[in-house]
Each structure stands twice: as structure tokens, then as C-alpha cells.
DNA sequence: TATTGTTATACTCTATAACTATA
DNA sequence: TATAGTTATAGAGTATAACAATA
């Protein structure tokens, strides 16, 4: 159980993130999506989020930061966004069919890119890596 | 070998990075270091980098972006930075004893934090995760 | 008075280009 | 003229606070 010397985890993941972003941003651009646009569509596709405040919290962003993104997604017909009749302060959010289609198309391409990177790992490590990433990404999300 | 549905790797790692940064930035602050200051000290400690241009390339930063960081590190006595007698355009960089001490103290604390996170994984996954992160972080660095 | 979403402001980061001092 | 480092400028991204409209 002795700790071995190793590079900082944050440094390794930071480098990997740069590689991933470089590979994926052209795919997003082809789909006419920004990174934040893709993040928002993904959040709305994976689980319904009623309000902008709930969405902001779900993706770890400030409520003011997502407004421009929502404006564009709405203009592009990728989300619906309308006042809640029961409480007209609130805007109800919903991904449209076009939004779902765009997101899933982008995701397929993005995960294919990711899989090409992951293919450089032995199968056992690859599975453990994804499993571990999933566990660790959910930590402190409370 | 069928691909399973999974969350995007970039999304998982992005969330984990946020967790790591939140945990580690207080440690850096206690040591009087910025994130970039720590990155620079680490690069200079791990392998000698002669010039600012070489350092910038090694850490994936623009040459103009590191200048302010170097100014502070030099003022604080954590690095030496002097013109190369053989080519006075070049500044030779070197970590000082104080710099090495600060870096290693910070790194010990940072890795302890990281190990607490990693402790939530089964031992096999933890080792595979670190191994995979190391392999993947070195990709495309050419 | 409190809450949701919006706008305005300022601040930080970063990228680009212009500059200097050497070679 | 080319290169290492620096400075200046402007642009993007973000955070904070003030605001409008509801409740």
C-alpha cells in the first residue's frame, strides 16, 4: 500500500483534456454548436430540467452564464423555452426533436473520437479507466 | 467489443477536474503559489529546461503567458533567471532550493488530496486509472 | 420581501501583434 | 534578417451586482 511517486493527477488529466478538446471542437463546429451549447443540450437530453436555475446548477455554471447560450439554442430551434403558466417568473426548458438529433449526432462522433484515444489502452485498463472516471466525476456533486 | 452507452469522457473528466481544482487551490494559496506558478516550478524541478521558449512549449503555454508568472517566481526567490552569457537574448531558467522546497511541499499535500479521492476506488481500478491517465496524457504531445 | 431571469459592469485570461535587444 | 524575450492592445470568458417581473 506504499504510495509510489507519480505525476500529479490534475496535470495528467489537464493534458488529456487539452487533447480531447482539440479533437472534439471541430466536431462541435461542424454541428454548429459551441461547447456550452453541447453541454446544455446534453443536460436537457439526459434528464428533464425544468428551469434555467436548475439547468445552471446541473452543469455547474452560473445562471447568468447560460443565458447567451440559451438564446442561441432557442434561435436555432434546438430548445423550447417558455414561461411557466403556473409561475410566470420561471422559464420552462425542453430540448426539441431537432436539438436531440443534433446532440446525438455530435455525441456519436465525439465518442468515436474518444474511443480512438482509448483504443491505445489495454482492454482491462480501458474499462477500469471509464469506470473510475464515472465514479470520480460523481463525487462532491452534492 | 461492442461499444456500450456511456457519458462523454470529456464531461466526466471535466467534472473531476473541477473537483480537483477546488480541493487543490487552497493548498497552492497556502504556499503562496498560483496554479501557473506551480506548473512552472514543477516543470523546472522535473527536468531542466534552459530557456523560456522551451519552458512555454513544455507546459503548453504561449511564451507571453508565462512572463508574469516568471516575474513573480523570481521576485519570490523560487527561480533563477539570467541572461545566457553565450547568447544574451536567452534567459536561462533554474529552480532554486527554495523553489524546490516549496514545490515539493505543495506536491505532497496535493497528492495526498488526490489520494483521498482515489481511495474511493477499488485498488485495481485505482492503479489502472493512474496507469491509463499517464498513457493518455502523453499522447499527441508531439 | 423573496425569487427567477436579465442586463450592466468590471475583472481576469488569453491571443495577437508590435517592439527591444541581441545575433 | 532572424530570434528570445517583452510590452501593448484587444478580445473572450466570467463573476458580481443591479434591475425588472413576477410571486
Amino acid at each position: 500500500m506504499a504510495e509510489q511517486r507519480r505525476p500529479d493527477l490534475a496535470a495528467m488529466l489537464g493534458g488529456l483534456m487539452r487533447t480531447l478538446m482539440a479533437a472534439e471542437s471541430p466536431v462541435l463546429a461542424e454541428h454548429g454548436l459551441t461547447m456550452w451549447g453541447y453541454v446544455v443540450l446534453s443536460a436537457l437530453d439526459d434528464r428533464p430540467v425544468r428551469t434555467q436555475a436548475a439547468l445552471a446548477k446541473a452543469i455547474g455554471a452560473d445562471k447568468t452564464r447560460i443565458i447567451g447560450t440559451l438564446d442561441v439554442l432557442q434561435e436555432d430551434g434546438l430548445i423550447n423555452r417558455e414561461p411557466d403558466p403556473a409561475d410566470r417568473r420561471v422559464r420552462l426548458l425542453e430540448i426539441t426533436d431537432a436539438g436531440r438529433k443534433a446532440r446525438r449526432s455530435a455525441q456519436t462522433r465525439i465518442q468515436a473520437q474518444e474511443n480512438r484515444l482509448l483504443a491505445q489502452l489495454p482492454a482491462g485498463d480501458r474499462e477500469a479507466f471509464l469506470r473510475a472516471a464515472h465514479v470520480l466525476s460523481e463525487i462532491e456533486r452534492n
Side-chain angles (χ1 to χ4, degrees), chain A:
Chain A
M1 183 79 24
E3 298 299 346
Q4 287 187 184
R5 254 175 88 54
R6 60 168 174 83
D8 293 344
L9 181 56
M12 293 190 288
L13 295 183
L16 174 53
M17 282 293 289
R18 275 195 301 165
T19 302
L20 286 174
M21 304 272 270
E24 296 177 5
S25 66
V27 175
L28 293 178
E30 280 174 35
H31 285 79
L33 292 172
T34 63
M35 190 195 67
W36 283 110
Y38 178 72
V39 169
V40 166
L41 284 186
S42 296
L44 293 177
D45 191 20
D46 289 337
R47 74 195 65 125
V49 175
R50 276 174 37 84
T51 72
Q52 294 187 192
L55 171 65
K57 188 174 178 191
I59 66 177
D62 192 88
K63 64 175 178 172
T64 64
R65 217 164 72 182
I66 62 175
I67 292 179
T69 301
L70 294 177
D71 291 344
V72 173
L73 291 175
Q74 185 178 20
E75 271 174 38
D76 293 348
L78 304 179
I79 63 169
N80 290 322
R81 181 202 205 183
E82 50 187 32
D84 182 349
D87 178 350
R88 308 237 321 282
R89 293 173 304 185
V90 168
R91 306 298 168 93
L92 295 177
L93 299 176
E94 193 181 42
I95 192 169
T96 64
D97 287 342
R100 216 181 320 269
K101 194 174 158 191
R103 186 265 175 147
R104 293 187 182 182
S105 168
Q107 186 177 44
T108 298
R109 294 272 316 278
I110 282 173
Q111 295 206 358
Q113 292 265 22
E114 293 178 346
N115 288 337
R116 279 208 315 208
L117 269 185
L118 293 168
Q120 311 206 22
L121 300 172
D125 280 10
R126 177 166 61 241
E127 286 153 27
F129 181 71
L130 286 171
R131 205 159 47 229
H134 189 255
V135 169
L136 294 174
S137 71
E138 307 252 295
I139 289 176
E140 199 102 359
R141 179 109 356 149
N142 43 359

